[in-house]
Coordinates of all heavy atoms in Angstrom, one line a residue:
V966 N 25.4 225.0 241.3 CA 25.3 223.6 240.8 C 24.8 223.6 239.3 O 25.4 222.9 238.5 CB 24.5 222.6 241.7 CG1 24.3 221.3 241.0 CG2 25.1 222.5 243.1
R970 N 27.0 222.4 236.0 CA 26.5 221.4 235.1 C 26.5 221.8 233.7 O 26.9 221.1 232.8 CB 25.1 220.9 235.5 CG 25.1 220.0 236.8 CD 23.8 219.6 237.1 NE 23.3 218.5 236.2 CZ 22.2 218.0 236.1 NH1 21.2 218.4 237.0 NH2 21.9 217.0 235.3
F1020 N 33.0 220.0 243.0 CA 31.8 219.5 242.3 C 32.1 218.3 241.5 O 31.4 217.3 241.4 CB 31.3 220.7 241.4 CG 30.2 220.3 240.5 CD1 28.9 220.1 240.9 CD2 30.4 220.0 239.2 CE1 27.8 219.8 240.1 CE2 29.4 219.6 238.3 CZ 28.1 219.5 238.9
V1023 N 32.7 215.2 243.6 CA 31.4 214.6 244.0 C 30.6 213.8 243.0 O 30.2 212.8 243.1 CB 30.4 215.7 244.6 CG1 29.0 215.1 244.8 CG2 31.0 216.3 246.0
M1024 N 30.7 214.5 241.8 CA 30.1 213.8 240.7 C 30.8 212.5 240.3 O 30.2 211.7 239.8 CB 30.0 214.7 239.4 CG 29.2 216.0 239.6 SD 27.5 215.6 240.1 CE 26.8 215.2 238.5
S1026 N 32.5 210.5 242.3 CA 32.4 209.6 243.3 C 31.4 208.5 243.1 O 31.6 207.3 243.5 CB 32.2 210.2 244.7 OG 30.7 210.7 244.7
G1027 N 30.2 208.8 242.4 CA 29.3 207.9 242.2 C 28.3 207.6 243.3 O 27.5 206.6 243.2
L1028 N 28.4 208.3 244.3 CA 27.5 208.2 245.4 C 26.1 208.9 245.1 O 26.0 210.1 245.3 CB 28.1 208.7 246.7 CG 29.4 208.0 247.1 CD1 30.0 208.8 248.3 CD2 29.2 206.6 247.5
T1029 N 25.2 208.2 244.6 CA 24.0 208.7 244.0 C 23.2 209.6 245.0 O 22.6 210.5 244.7 CB 23.2 207.6 243.4 OG1 22.8 206.6 244.3 CG2 23.8 207.0 242.2
V1030 N 23.1 209.0 246.3 CA 22.3 209.8 247.3 C 22.8 211.1 247.5 O 22.1 212.1 247.5 CB 22.3 208.9 248.6 CG1 21.6 209.7 249.6 CG2 21.6 207.6 248.4
I1031 N 24.1 211.2 247.6 CA 24.7 212.6 247.9 C 24.6 213.4 246.7 O 24.3 214.6 246.8 CB 26.3 212.4 248.4 CG1 26.3 211.7 249.7 CG2 26.9 213.8 248.4 CD1 27.6 211.4 250.2
I1032 N 24.9 212.8 245.4 CA 24.7 213.7 244.2 C 23.2 214.2 244.1 O 23.1 215.3 243.7 CB 25.2 212.7 243.1 CG1 26.7 212.4 243.1 CG2 24.9 213.4 241.7 CD1 27.1 211.4 242.1
Q1033 N 22.3 213.4 244.3 CA 20.9 213.8 244.1 C 20.6 214.8 245.1 O 19.9 215.8 244.7 CB 20.0 212.6 244.3 CG 20.0 211.6 243.2 CD 19.7 212.2 241.8 OE1 18.8 213.1 241.7 NE2 20.4 211.8 240.9
Q1034 N 21.0 214.8 246.3 CA 20.8 215.8 247.4 C 21.4 217.2 246.9 O 20.9 218.2 247.1 CB 21.2 215.4 248.7 CG 20.4 214.4 249.4 CD 20.8 214.0 250.7 OE1 21.9 214.5 251.2 NE2 20.0 213.3 251.4
M1035 N 22.7 217.1 246.3 CA 23.4 218.2 245.9 C 22.7 218.8 244.7 O 22.5 220.1 244.6 CB 24.8 217.9 245.6 CG 25.7 219.1 245.1 SD 27.3 218.7 244.6 CE 27.0 217.8 243.1
L1036 N 22.3 218.1 243.7 CA 21.5 218.6 242.7 C 20.2 219.2 242.9 O 19.8 220.1 242.3 CB 21.4 217.5 241.5 CG 22.7 216.9 240.9 CD1 22.4 215.8 240.0 CD2 23.4 218.0 240.2
K1037 N 19.6 218.7 244.0 CA 18.2 219.2 244.4 C 18.4 220.6 245.2 O 17.5 221.3 245.4 CB 17.5 218.2 245.3 CG 16.9 217.1 244.4 CD 16.2 216.2 245.3 CE 15.7 214.9 244.6 NZ 15.0 214.0 245.4
G1038 N 19.6 220.7 245.7 CA 19.9 221.8 246.5 C 19.8 221.7 248.0 O 19.9 222.6 248.8
N1039 N 19.6 220.4 248.5 CA 19.6 220.1 249.8 C 20.9 220.1 250.4 O 21.1 220.3 251.7 CB 19.0 218.8 250.1 CG 17.5 218.7 249.6 OD1 16.8 219.7 249.5 ND2 16.9 217.6 249.2
L1040 N 22.0 220.0 249.7 CA 23.4 220.0 250.2 C 24.1 221.0 249.3 O 23.9 221.0 248.1 CB 24.0 218.5 250.1 CG 23.9 217.5 251.1 CD1 24.5 216.2 250.7 CD2 24.4 218.0 252.4
S1041 N 25.0 221.7 250.0 CA 25.8 222.5 249.2 C 27.0 221.7 248.6 O 27.3 220.5 249.0 CB 26.5 223.7 250.1 OG 27.3 223.0 251.0
A1045 N 28.6 218.4 250.4 CA 28.6 217.2 249.6 C 30.0 216.6 249.5 O 30.2 215.3 249.6 CB 28.0 217.3 248.3
V1049 N 31.5 212.9 250.9 CA 32.1 212.0 250.0 C 33.5 211.7 250.6 O 33.9 210.6 250.6 CB 32.3 212.6 248.6 CG1 33.2 211.8 247.8 CG2 30.9 212.6 248.0

Side-chain angles (χ1 to χ4, degrees):
V966 174
R970 287 182 72 188
F1020 174 79
V1023 171
M1024 296 301 284
S1026 71
L1028 300 172
T1029 55
V1030 174
I1031 294 174
I1032 292 171
Q1033 290 301 320
Q1034 287 183 352
M1035 182 182 71
L1036 295 177
K1037 288 180 183 177
N1039 297 337
L1040 275 177
S1041 68
V1049 167

